[in-house]
Amino acid sequence: KISQFTNDRPELRSAEENEPRQITGYAARFYDGTPETEYRIGENMVERIAPTAFDNISRDVISTFNHDLNQILGRQSAGTLSLEVDDRGLRYSVPIDENDPDHQRVVAKIKSGAVSGSSFWFSINREKRSTEGDLQVFQLDEVTLFEAGPVTQPAYSGSSSELRAEAAEP
């Protein structure tokens, strides 16, 4: 099964004055008990991401806009995509290439507010199924990650988009 989740806001930022601006965001958020961190896949079914889901990221992951393989933004093996797992979830970061038209189109869409979320593309290696009353819960314990990046139609209700200027605080 190959699935897509959306989550959290992509941002444009620069951590230091001499560093390039970046497109960054949480492609996936771990379930924390709130509806914003679970994906409703049916009337009585939800999918949740466990903190172990990304423990073994070993593929050459890419970043695209809207999961479109023709709009690649970055790639791990090229050094143009960084992935980090922290206590909130899976964070991605792509340095903005001022000469790349795909980057410039995505930057403009984030600035305008048209891009409202982030997402990831994955296959499930291990999941746990349980019930909570009449709710079926599918917990993703381990996935194979293929892609992470900004999207226009986030599935999570807590997902949104914003722009941060180069000098803005993180």
Side-chain angles (χ1 to χ4, degrees):
K1 174 181 170 184
I2 294 181
S3 301
Q4 296 176 0
F5 266 105
T6 37
N7 231 330
D8 223 39
R9 298 176 76 126
E11 300 173 347
L12 301 177
R13 67 178 351 169
S14 179
E16 305 231 352
E17 197 170 307
N18 295 331
E19 287 184 14
R21 290 185 310 149
Q22 299 180 349
I23 299 169
T24 186
Y26 279 92
R29 294 262 315 277
F30 299 135
Y31 179 66
D32 66 5
T34 65
E36 291 81 17
T37 59
E38 64 185 6
Y39 177 60
R40 188 160 290 278
I41 54 178
E43 186 175 327
N44 294 320
M45 292 185 289
V46 294
E47 201 161 44
R48 298 172 178 166
I49 305 168
T52 59
F54 304 104
D55 282 355
N56 298 307
I57 298 175
S58 60
R59 295 185 49 89
D60 185 19
V61 178
I62 62 172
S63 180
T64 68
F65 175 56
N66 273 338
H67 303 295
D68 183 344
L69 299 177
N70 294 307
Q71 295 189 58
I72 191 163
L73 301 175
R75 180 178 215 117
Q76 277 182 303
S77 63
T80 55
L81 169 63
S82 297
L83 297 169
E84 176 187 354
V85 177
D86 62 20
D87 61 340
R88 291 184 68 206
L90 174 69
R91 188 167 183 76
Y92 68 92
S93 183
V94 176
I96 297 169
D97 180 346
E98 302 297 338
N99 297 312
D100 185 322
D102 288 333
H103 282 212
Q104 296 315 305
R105 281 191 292 274
V106 172
V107 166
K109 291 173 188 340
I110 292 172
K111 283 182 179 180
S112 73
V115 172
S116 59
S118 295
S119 181
F120 72 104
W121 185 14
F122 65 98
S123 66
I124 300 170
N125 297 336
R126 195 176 71 245
E127 73 180 350
K128 187 182 308 170
R129 297 178 184 197
S130 62
T131 56
E132 294 176 7
D134 62 350
L135 184 67
Q136 287 185 317
V137 178
F138 299 86
Q139 178 178 294
L140 303 179
D141 288 331
E142 182 184 312
V143 301
T144 298
L145 181 65
F146 301 107
E147 186 268 342
V151 297
T152 57
Q153 282 297 117
Y156 281 81
S157 62
S159 186
S160 56
S161 179
E162 71 180 43
L163 167 68
R164 292 206 178 193
E166 288 186 38
E169 291 294 316

